[in-house]
Amino acid sequence: MRGGFAVSLHDVAPTTWSACERLLALTDALRLPVTLLVVPHFHGGTRADLDPGFVRVLRDRVARGDETVLHGYFREDRGGRARSPGDWFARRLYTDSEGEFAALDADAATDLVARGRAVFAAAGLAPAGFVAPAWLMSEASVAVLGASGLRYAATRDALIDLPSGRRIAAPSLVYSTRARWRRNLSRAWNAARLATLDGAPRIRAALHPADAGHAAVLADWERLLGRLARERHGVLESSWLGATG
């Protein structure tokens, strides 16, 4: 085996669960553990802890070997206007105004993290860590997370051991599905990136509910996950925190 790989399922919420199930069918067929990135109050809809069926299925998934991670709170960027062209690109083009923690100050980040953890506690779940929507975090958000008592946070290409600040390289494969040209580019990008990461000790596969709405993307994930499962050990994201840098 060449190393490890971890599967994360983003944007897990009551309103996205039917799409999540289609993606989990792929991982379950390969008997892979999954890191479930749960949005406590997805776009202001049904709060996660107030849906008994959703809470029950999350607890069942954890009991069988998955883990849950706090994935923002609303998954909506409410941080005001972009302050620079780079800020606009990251918050409006790279992600469709869903980079919730991209521009937050310390007070706002502290509030949302606390509210998210309260929802997890009410559901009887303990988050293994924190992943910001679209992996975008302001400096103030990173500082808040460092003092939060959570075990880890993540960027697109690394895990951050929050108690120590140590970064662990863990690059991600991911699809952008908002337009056909994005889907086609993503297929080529993931194939090329996987080739360059052949010797990497850690790789992450980042699945999103929107992926389930496109047959070609689902088929590509089935192929990629099958290849990774043949060549690498499937693990949970948090299992890498004990690894050396």
Side-chain angles (χ1 to χ4, degrees):
M1 292 286 183
R2 299 177 183 176
F5 82 103
V7 178
S8 59
L9 178 54
H10 294 226
D11 306 338
V12 176
T15 54
T16 65
W17 186 248
S18 60
C20 291
E21 286 184 309
R22 292 197 288 276
L23 294 162
L24 289 170
L26 301 180
T27 59
D28 288 348
L30 296 168
R31 298 183 180 180
L32 297 172
V34 180
T35 298
L36 301 166
L37 278 57
V38 180
V39 184
H41 202 177
F42 186 81
H43 288 191
T46 302
R47 211 174 70 193
D49 61 316
L50 300 181
D51 187 319
F54 180 69
V55 169
R56 183 170 56 253
V57 76
L58 287 185
R59 289 177 177 173
D60 289 345
R61 299 287 316 187
V62 170
R64 64 189 284 183
D66 292 348
E67 66 183 358
T68 55
V69 162
L70 179 59
H71 192 37
Y73 187 77
F74 292 113
R75 202 182 182 275
E76 292 178 333
D77 185 347
R78 302 180 179 187
R81 297 178 61 183
R83 294 183 291 271
S84 68
D87 191 35
W88 177 87
F89 177 87
R91 295 168 58 196
R92 301 292 180 257
L93 186 61
Y94 169 68
T95 183
D96 189 16
S97 299
E98 293 185 322
E100 183 176 23
F101 279 70
L104 293 186
D105 60 25
D107 288 342
T110 298
D111 176 61
L112 289 181
V113 169
R115 291 167 70 181
R117 296 183 75 173
V119 170
F120 268 68
L125 298 167
F130 177 90
V131 179
W135 294 295
L136 296 174
M137 294 182 288
S138 63
E139 290 185 8
S141 296
V142 175
V144 165
L145 291 168
S148 69
L150 289 168
R151 185 69 179 89
Y152 80 100
T155 67
R156 179 174 177 143
D157 290 321
L159 302 183
I160 305 169
D161 182 271
L162 290 172
S164 68
R166 180 169 58 93
R167 289 181 176 248
I168 302 165
S172 297
L173 305 173
V174 63
Y175 272 92
S176 178
T177 59
R178 279 187 281 143
R180 180 177 293 180
W181 69 267
R182 286 176 177 263
R183 296 192 294 274
N184 291 337
L185 183 60
S186 293
R187 293 182 69 186
W189 170 259
N190 284 329
R193 193 164 210 221
L194 188 55
T196 65
L197 294 174
D198 186 60
R202 292 169 293 273
I203 296 175
R204 286 183 290 163
L207 282 61
H208 291 75
D211 298 345
H214 304 280
V217 175
L218 269 180
D220 217 36
W221 270 132
E222 184 174 25
R223 180 183 61 80
L224 288 174
L225 292 174
R227 174 181 170 182
L228 288 168
R230 289 190 300 272
E231 297 176 350
R232 294 173 173 266
H233 297 289
V235 299
L236 293 172
E237 260 188 14
S238 64
S239 71
W240 287 325
L241 298 175
T244 58

